[in-house]
Amino acid sequence: MTRPAHASAAGLTSTTNSMEILSVKVLRGPNQWASFPCLEAWVDLGRLEDFPSHTLPGFNERVMSWLPTMIEHRCSIGERGGFFERLRTGTWMGHVLEHVTLELQTLAGTPVGYGRAREAKTRGVYKVVVAYKEEKFAIECLHAAHRLILAAIDDAACDVTAEIKRLRQILLDVQLGPSTRSIVEAAIARGIPAQRLTEGSLVRLGQGARQRRICAAETDRTGAVAETIAQDKELTRTLLAESGIPVPEGRPVTDAADAWAVAEEIGGPVVVKPRYGNQGRGVSVNLATREEVEKAWILANEVDSSVVVERFVTGGDHRILVVAGRMVAAARRHPPIVVGDGAHTVRQLVDGVNEDPRRCGDHATSLSPMVIDEVAVAVLREQGLTEQSVPEAGRGVLLRRNANLSTGGSAEDVTDLVHPDVAARAIEAARVVGLDVAGIDLVVDDVTKSLESQRGVVIEVNAAPGLRMHLEPTVGTPRNVGAAIVDSLFGPGDDGRVPTASVTGTNGKTTVVRLISHLATAGGATVGMTCTEGVWVGGRQIDAGDCSGPRSARRVLANPAVSTAVFEAARGGILREGCGFDCCDVAVVTNIAAGDHLGIAEIDTPEQIAWVKGAIVAAVRPSGAAVLNAADPLVVAMKKWCKGQVVYFDADPANPVIVEHLAQGGLAATVRDGWIVLCDGPRETRLAHLDRVPLVHRGLVDFQVENVLAGAAAAWRLGVPLELVRLGLESFSSGSAGSPGRFNLLGLQGAAIVVDYGHNVPSLERICGTLTKFPHARRTAVYSAAGDRRDEDLIAQGRILAGAFERVVIYEDAYVRGRQPGEITRLISQGIREGTPAGRTVGIESGGDWATSAARVLDAVGDGDLVLLQADTIEQTTAWLTARYGGRLKEAACEEFQGPTAVKAAAAQAALPGAATGPTAGGGV
């Protein structure tokens, strides 16, 4: 883009002409920019379009001093300090917004590095794209970056440290807690997809029939009965004692007096705690006097109405983590202690310790804040202190006697020190309660010795144990306990994914999606399918309408019945939100043609359409494959984006792309001597003859031959056995039961009726080309076009109709899409008049709505008539035809309307010449 000479920046402020964020799109899946989640912000620079960075006095210096760590941004220069060099030489504010947003995300806790800034068609408007990990947090970083840039322009104050601290708190509020996050990160490291289901800790790992669920450290194997037992501390103690596991004696009490009575019975220091509780709330330990016991009962009673008194056992507080019958980590927990310095009060010392960024409320970080509450005040009193006391230097001050992390305690990893008998007792305790993941609390002096040898005891068995002490112990080796939990849910090599295929292109998408689904079903799968007509799971429709977007895909992957997923991926959904999956096993691109969806969302050329739809090719897993149309140069070029194999398809085996690809040992699907052939380098496998594949009408419908090749190749790469692929091709109906509205050939009162949903220039050209093979003299089209297409596209369709039909009835119905009444009819009619050959006449009629137009034509058909009936909506068309014509309307085959000579000629045309074929289906590949 040619830039104007820069005007003076004097007097320019953000308030007089501020940069404005017009919109923000959240691209949650693979998209046209990247194969990972991104934000796409449309930003209007206003007058700043005329003022790049080096023309704004002091701007660069302020930005670089506020965010000096951006020196690591290499930018397009490709070396450290590259972005700073771009600032000095002059760059635009959209580019600056990209880099500042990335840096704020990184400094606040989610390192990201991908960004783009591209000019839009409107002068001064930019598309700013940045990667993200936490959606709400990233959007807040974008707006914070916007404010920072405006402050730098205005030479206004900007407390970047405070802003980063605020952003970090937002991140802590919205992201998963440490325990859940460790499991999710371990799953992702194994290639297992993860989807957060609530704002809390409920997460789905995996997809479809192979999915599992967790909620913090609970899994879908954590039984409700086991969890109930673990919550009842007295019942847990009783069951463990019955199994011979050492536990402290004690019992439930009815009131404070009864609590003291039990303490006297036990005859020593006791513990008073709620019968049902967790995280150390209401627990008081090492109580010896009546006053202490009765106050502790009141505290515990505030947490739960049922209170337990047990013997206090001296020793270290240990937590053993058991997962799937195996000890995976152990930690010694230490109670919260501050150390005096002779200058600060206890309260000040606590506040100082809590400044540690690792200490945060709500279990969001590895440590929790120390608290001074009623329990802490009592413990301080025992030490002759209050919160205003100033302890002498070096004196340790205990804040509470229990060592729970949730009340400010710390942890020391002792996993490698645990005696085998201690580990065995912990595993047995988890088994007695019935938990797959359990935190076993022990009191023992020396974890290197057995419990029995030192009167050690198990004091609690915890469901949903916190993992922080193992992930980030204050002292010792961190343990990847999240991975242990994931390994308990998914066996070796299991990535929790179901085979997934995604299909895009200009035309043929829905047919190919339906065909792949049929073939996968023939292979024994329960298929979840999305397309422009709805969502199906296992053959049952669960939604209707255009469901070719990412939300419908996510819905299928969430369904636990689905063992194979097949998606239609439309342009609009990719632009709006990205793909509905993180990656796929097979991506099919049918074709990329001009004349459809151009001029929308600044996508104006076939090359740009290919860039958008290529997102599914870039999403192919390394173990997967892209199935690409070898006859379409834009599709062929997508090979560069594919991380897996490439399978080219074309009915012509002499296509140079296929010939070269096979010579290099590649894969292809083609037609040879009338047979669908799958090729693996020089090896070929005959799959099915075109005469036996209903969808292609003995090869007469060439675009359906292409669709069959794409579908067969996709099923092949999805692992469907080839014999079942053959059976599926031979059983897939060419009528409404197979692919409704896609060249459905019907017979009515001797007339041939072709029902097709084609609504753009390329599809209409292919349909009309096929209809030239029919012998009918009287030809009528009932047709319209979507109103959001360009004027020239509607006119072009009119020209095509003029060359193929003697009568065109134009309707306007469901897809007017913003056009004025009569405007679509006018433009198509203009094209018909322009395209009518000299000496011919094409009758043009305005038919009103679709049903009225269809009835006008079909009610009057007879022998020798050929009608192209465009389906306005598939559901409407199918239901209307059945209701109006019932048994008079029959599914037909092409040969019913042609003589034997015509059929043989068409079959000969479909059987392209070539060398001898390989073995029959089932062998050779």
Side-chain angles (χ1 to χ4, degrees):
M1 176 178 177
T2 303
R3 299 286 186 180
H6 304 308
S8 170
L12 178 70
T13 67
S14 68
T15 54
T16 57
N17 261 290
S18 64
M19 173 172 62
E20 180 184 2
I21 297 176
L22 302 175
S23 64
V24 179
K25 289 194 287 189
V26 182
L27 307 176
R28 297 182 175 90
N31 52 79
Q32 68 272 28
W33 302 102
S35 57
F36 43 78
C38 293
L39 300 181
E40 181 187 306
W42 286 53
V43 182
D44 187 351
L45 301 190
R47 282 188 62 204
L48 287 170
E49 172 67 2
D50 295 325
F51 299 96
S53 56
H54 68 303
T55 68
L56 301 171
F59 175 81
N60 289 346
E61 291 74 17
R62 285 185 282 276
V63 169
M64 290 189 287
S65 65
W66 289 346
L67 295 171
T69 48
M70 283 201 300
I71 196 171
E72 301 298 335
H73 291 211
R74 303 170 70 87
C75 201
S76 57
I77 293 176
E79 60 186 39
R80 187 173 185 267
F83 175 62
F84 282 179
E85 182 63 23
R86 290 292 306 277
L87 285 174
R88 295 186 188 99
T89 58
T91 191
W92 275 261
M93 291 302 108
H95 185 208
V96 178
L97 180 65
E98 169 207 330
H99 280 270
V100 174
T101 303
L102 292 172
E103 188 64 11
L104 290 179
Q105 288 189 79
T106 297
L107 293 174
T110 62
V112 287
Y114 176 87
R116 294 289 184 271
R118 297 290 183 264
E119 294 175 89
K121 292 170 66 175
T122 303
R123 185 177 186 276
V125 175
Y126 286 74
K127 305 171 191 177
V128 177
V129 179
V130 291
Y132 76 88
K133 294 180 181 177
E134 287 288 343
E135 181 178 314
K136 293 180 180 178
F137 163 73
I139 293 172
E140 187 58 37
C141 286
L142 172 71
H143 290 292
H146 179 222
R147 292 191 297 270
L148 184 149
I149 291 170
L150 297 184
I153 294 171
D154 287 350
D155 192 14
C158 183
D159 190 340
V160 177
T161 301
E163 184 66 2
I164 292 172
K165 184 176 181 180
R166 184 186 71 85
L167 292 171
R168 185 175 290 123
Q169 185 58 53
I170 291 173
L171 176 62
L172 292 175
D173 290 342
V174 300
Q175 72 179 355
L176 292 167
S179 295
T180 313
R181 192 165 67 248
S182 72
I183 301 170
V184 169
E185 290 174 350
I188 292 172
R190 280 189 50 175
I192 300 167
Q195 177 69 44
R196 191 173 183 176
L197 301 179
T198 67
E199 291 187 358
S201 299
L202 184 62
V203 178
R204 177 174 57 246
L205 304 178
Q207 304 167 337
R210 298 176 67 181
Q211 68 180 278
R212 307 301 302 272
R213 296 188 182 103
I214 61 165
C215 186
E218 287 184 304
T219 79
D220 49 21
R221 289 177 177 167
T222 304
V225 171
E227 188 178 59
T228 300
I229 293 170
Q231 289 174 345
D232 186 335
K233 300 183 188 306
E234 174 60 17
L235 177 58
T236 299
R237 191 183 66 82
T238 300
L239 293 177
L240 295 181
E242 288 177 350
S243 297
I245 298 173
V247 295
E249 62 266 36
R251 66 172 175 82
V253 297
T254 57
D255 53 27
D258 192 24
W260 175 242
V262 173
E264 287 188 307
E265 292 171 11
I266 291 174
V270 295
V271 175
V272 177
K273 59 186 179 181
R275 180 170 182 171
Y276 301 93
N278 54 36
Q279 298 177 354
R281 287 191 290 264
V283 178
S284 302
V285 302
N286 198 16
L287 309 173
T289 69
R290 180 167 190 155
E291 180 183 8
E292 289 174 338
V293 171
E294 291 183 345
K295 283 186 176 180
W297 182 88
I298 294 171
L299 184 65
N301 186 249
E302 290 175 353
V303 176
D304 186 71
S305 59
S306 182
V307 177
V308 173
V309 177
E310 293 178 349
R311 176 183 297 279
F312 173 72
V313 180
T314 59
D317 185 333
H318 294 79
R319 164 65 65 84
I320 307 291
L321 181 65
V322 175
V323 177
R326 185 171 64 91
M327 187 199 85
V328 298
R332 178 164 184 159
R333 298 182 292 189
H334 300 282
I337 295 175
V338 294
V339 179
D341 60 4
H344 294 87
T345 66
V346 172
R347 166 63 70 180
Q348 290 170 333
L349 293 170
V350 169
D351 291 343
V353 169
N354 286 340
E355 285 296 315
D356 185 340
R358 295 177 300 169
R359 293 189 180 272
C360 181
D362 299 324
H363 308 278
T365 52
S366 59
L367 295 171
S368 294
M370 293 183 180
V371 294
I372 297 181
D373 55 9
E374 184 178 346
V375 173
V377 168
V379 173
L380 288 172
R381 187 183 307 118
E382 294 171 9
Q383 300 167 84
L385 300 171
T386 71
E387 62 179 295
Q388 298 305 320
S389 299
V390 179
E392 58 269 26
R395 178 181 177 182
V397 178
L398 190 67
L399 294 178
R400 56 204 322 121
R401 298 193 181 280
N402 68 313
N404 293 74
L405 262 65
S406 58
T407 52
S410 59
E412 172 189 0
D413 179 72
V414 295
T415 304
D416 297 330
L417 304 178
V418 176
H419 191 280
D421 286 350
V422 173
R425 294 295 83 71
I427 293 168
E428 189 177 356
R431 186 180 300 116
V432 167
V433 174
L435 292 171
D436 61 325
V437 180
I440 313 300
D441 290 342
L442 313 172
V443 176
V444 59
D445 282 322
D446 187 351
V447 78
T448 66
K449 300 177 182 178
S450 68
L451 296 180
E452 293 79 3
S453 68
Q454 53 187 320
R455 301 189 64 186
V457 293
V458 175
I459 57 172
E460 283 189 19
V461 176
N462 298 276
L467 306 180
R468 294 185 297 166
M469 68 187 77
H470 309 298
L471 297 166
E472 296 183 70
T474 314
V475 177
T477 304
R479 305 291 172 171
N480 189 3
V481 294
I485 293 175
V486 172
D487 291 346
S488 75
L489 299 174
F490 298 92
D494 183 359
D495 60 10
R497 296 177 181 272
V498 297
T500 301
S502 181
V503 182
T504 194
T506 301
N507 293 309
K509 299 184 296 295
T510 302
T511 299
V512 174
V513 164
R514 285 181 170 274
L515 178 57
I516 296 171
S517 300
H518 179 78
L519 299 178
T521 299
T526 299
V527 178
M529 177 185 78
T530 70
C531 64
T532 52
E533 293 147 22
V535 179
W536 281 260
V537 172
R540 182 174 71 89
Q541 187 170 7
I542 64 173
D543 202 356
D546 188 347
C547 296
S548 59
R551 294 181 184 179
S552 297
R554 288 195 293 268
R555 184 177 178 184
V556 163
L557 292 175
N559 193 305
V562 171
S563 61
T564 295
V566 185
F567 306 131
E568 182 174 340
R571 166 206 59 87
I574 297 172
L575 286 170
R576 183 178 62 252
E577 200 178 332
C579 299
F581 45 84
D582 62 334
C583 59
C584 59
D585 296 286
V586 174
V588 180
V589 185
T590 58
N591 44 67
I592 300 292
D596 194 35
H597 293 296
L598 298 182
I600 303 173
E602 298 201 347
I603 302 299
D604 301 318
T605 66
E607 289 76 14
Q608 290 174 319
I609 284 280
W611 171 60
V612 173
K613 297 194 173 190
I616 72 165
V617 176
V620 170
R621 304 172 70 188
S623 59
V627 177
L628 305 178
N629 187 339
D632 189 323
L634 289 175
V635 179
V636 170
M638 292 182 185
K639 178 181 180 179
K640 62 180 177 291
W641 296 324
C642 183
K643 295 183 286 289
Q645 293 181 304
V646 168
V647 184
Y648 285 122
F649 69 90
D650 185 15
D652 180 6
N655 181 311
V657 172
I658 288 182
V659 172
E660 181 181 356
H661 189 59
L662 293 179
Q664 297 173 354
L667 307 174
T670 187
V671 176
R672 201 184 297 278
D673 297 333
W675 285 84
I676 297 167
V677 176
L678 300 178
C679 308
D680 183 352
R683 295 179 297 171
E684 294 188 355
T685 298
R686 282 182 170 183
L687 194 60
H689 198 280
L690 294 179
D691 286 351
R692 297 183 60 85
V693 179
L695 187 62
V696 303
H697 292 279
R698 293 181 177 268
L700 287 170
V701 187
D702 53 3
F703 59 85
Q704 295 289 40
V705 173
E706 295 171 9
N707 293 335
V708 164
L709 290 172
W716 177 30
R717 302 326 296 165
L718 284 173
V720 180
L722 293 186
E723 180 60 24
L724 298 180
V725 174
R726 179 187 67 78
L727 292 173
L729 292 176
E730 294 177 353
S731 61
F732 187 72
S733 171
S734 63
S736 59
S739 189
R742 273 73 183 182
F743 209 89
N744 303 147
L745 183 58
L746 307 172
L748 177 64
Q749 298 171 178
I753 315 297
V754 175
V755 180
D756 199 284
Y757 183 64
H759 53 274
N760 56 45
V761 171
S763 64
L764 184 58
E765 287 176 335
R766 300 298 296 273
I767 293 166
C768 292
T770 299
L771 294 182
T772 60
K773 303 171 186 177
F774 285 64
H776 302 75
R778 297 189 303 275
R779 295 167 178 251
T780 300
V782 179
Y783 198 82
S784 187
D788 59 356
R789 300 323 194 250
R790 300 174 302 178
D791 289 0
E792 56 262 42
D793 296 327
L794 272 63
I795 293 170
Q797 290 178 69
R799 294 194 188 102
I800 297 168
L801 292 167
F805 299 95
E806 62 186 34
R807 177 190 179 201
V808 179
V809 179
I810 306 171
Y811 68 89
E812 294 186 4
D813 206 324
Y815 292 97
V816 174
R817 292 179 177 173
R819 295 274 187 177
Q820 293 299 313
E823 189 176 0
I824 293 174
T825 299
R826 178 181 61 80
L827 291 168
I828 294 177
S829 298
Q830 177 184 335
I832 293 172
R833 287 191 293 271
E834 293 176 359
T836 300
R840 280 192 60 219
T841 300
V842 177
I844 305 173
E845 302 174 25
S846 177
D849 62 17
W850 179 87
T852 302
S853 302
R856 174 190 296 184
V857 173
L858 297 187
D859 286 353
V861 296
D863 285 338
D865 284 326
L866 173 64
V867 177
L868 171 61
L869 178 63
Q870 185 193 51
D872 192 39
T873 66
I874 302 299
E875 298 84 355
Q876 172 199 28
T877 301
T878 303
W880 185 87
L881 287 171
T882 301
R884 190 170 185 91
Y885 300 106
R888 291 183 291 159
L889 198 65
K890 305 289 187 182
E891 289 192 358
C894 286
E895 56 265 31
E896 296 180 36
F897 302 104
Q898 298 176 310
T901 302
V903 173
K904 290 180 180 179
Q909 181 181 6
L912 298 172
T917 57
T920 57
V925 175

